[in-house]
Amino acid sequence: AVVSTQSTGYSGCIVGRVAGRIGGGQFSIGDKDNQLTLNNNNATHLHGGFIGLSKVVWDVEVLENVLRLSHFQPDGTDGYPGSLTVTVDISLRSKTRGGRVKGTFLSIDMTATCDQATPINLTFHPYFNMSGGEESAFKDKLTVFDYAGYLEMNPDTILPTGEIIDCKGTAFEFRDTPICDKISGVKGG
């Protein structure tokens, strides 16, 4: 695999094999203990490691209405078991109701297959300038994220607790309110 060492950031990339931190880079599947590379202060495994999906060059294919990205990682990459194939389809889709277009949305469909049991937690780290350079235009944008919850983090270690928190009724629910109306409810927002 061609690997980029130019940046340590994660802006605008696909993150994985596992997005987030794995404490000590260790996990078990069945009776087998696994040790991953430690790429975050030599204490945790962050966003898939040194050769995570954010650091590789993807194959690109343009289909009819889809931009398809794909990548293969061999068994043992950064300590992960199994040969992994990831496909990401990016497209613009229209939502219709009663035969009328009610909106257009960006669809990002990710698929991963592996020949061994392995943890997979892919994400896309998008950063969008929705104001087009006009600061005030962003405040009126309705941005919808279709998800039900978020992963709770230990505030001291920034490691996941394993608890999935329902976002309904919290500042993290982005289903029907402009995003700027919600930001003030988030600590540091």
Side-chain angles (χ1 to χ4, degrees):
V2 177
V3 179
S4 170
T5 57
Q6 298 297 316
S7 171
T8 58
Y10 297 96
S11 297
C13 63
I14 297 161
V15 179
R17 286 188 186 192
V18 173
R21 291 170 175 80
I22 297 175
Q26 299 175 337
F27 68 92
S28 298
I29 295 179
D31 294 337
K32 185 170 182 341
D33 295 331
N34 295 273
Q35 178 63 56
L36 303 174
T37 58
L38 301 176
N39 66 321
N40 185 235
N41 297 323
N42 209 28
T44 62
H45 178 84
L46 177 65
H47 289 337
F50 291 107
I51 311 176
L53 296 173
S54 62
K55 306 289 187 223
V56 299
V57 176
W58 291 70
D59 294 322
V60 178
E61 182 180 4
V62 179
L63 305 174
E64 187 173 324
N65 293 315
V66 175
L67 177 67
R68 175 167 287 164
L69 309 176
S70 58
H71 185 71
F72 173 81
Q73 281 191 328
D75 179 34
T77 302
D78 271 310
Y80 285 100
S83 296
L84 179 75
T85 300
V86 179
T87 302
V88 179
D89 288 343
I90 303 169
S91 61
L92 286 176
R93 296 188 184 171
S94 296
K95 192 171 204 168
T96 59
R97 183 176 293 151
R100 299 181 71 183
V101 174
K102 296 302 246 180
T104 301
F105 62 96
L106 179 66
S107 174
I108 302 168
D109 297 311
M110 294 187 248
T111 305
T113 57
C114 194
D115 60 2
Q116 294 182 44
T118 193
I120 298 288
N121 182 32
L122 305 174
T123 193
F124 179 50
H125 260 224
Y127 293 88
F128 298 105
N129 176 356
M130 298 185 335
S131 68
E134 299 175 31
E135 186 177 328
S136 63
F138 175 74
K139 294 177 182 169
D140 300 325
K141 301 291 183 197
L142 175 60
T143 305
V144 177
F145 296 96
D146 189 15
Y147 61 93
Y150 61 93
L151 193 58
E152 180 183 58
M153 299 294 194
N154 178 315
D156 298 325
T157 64
I158 316 175
L159 291 171
T161 66
E163 182 84 20
I164 297 175
I165 306 297
D166 186 347
C167 66
K168 188 173 177 117
T170 74
F172 296 106
E173 182 181 21
F174 297 108
R175 291 194 178 116
D176 57 7
T177 305
I179 196 167
C180 280
D181 292 351
K182 295 283 189 161
I183 289 175
S184 62
V186 177
K187 185 177 178 180

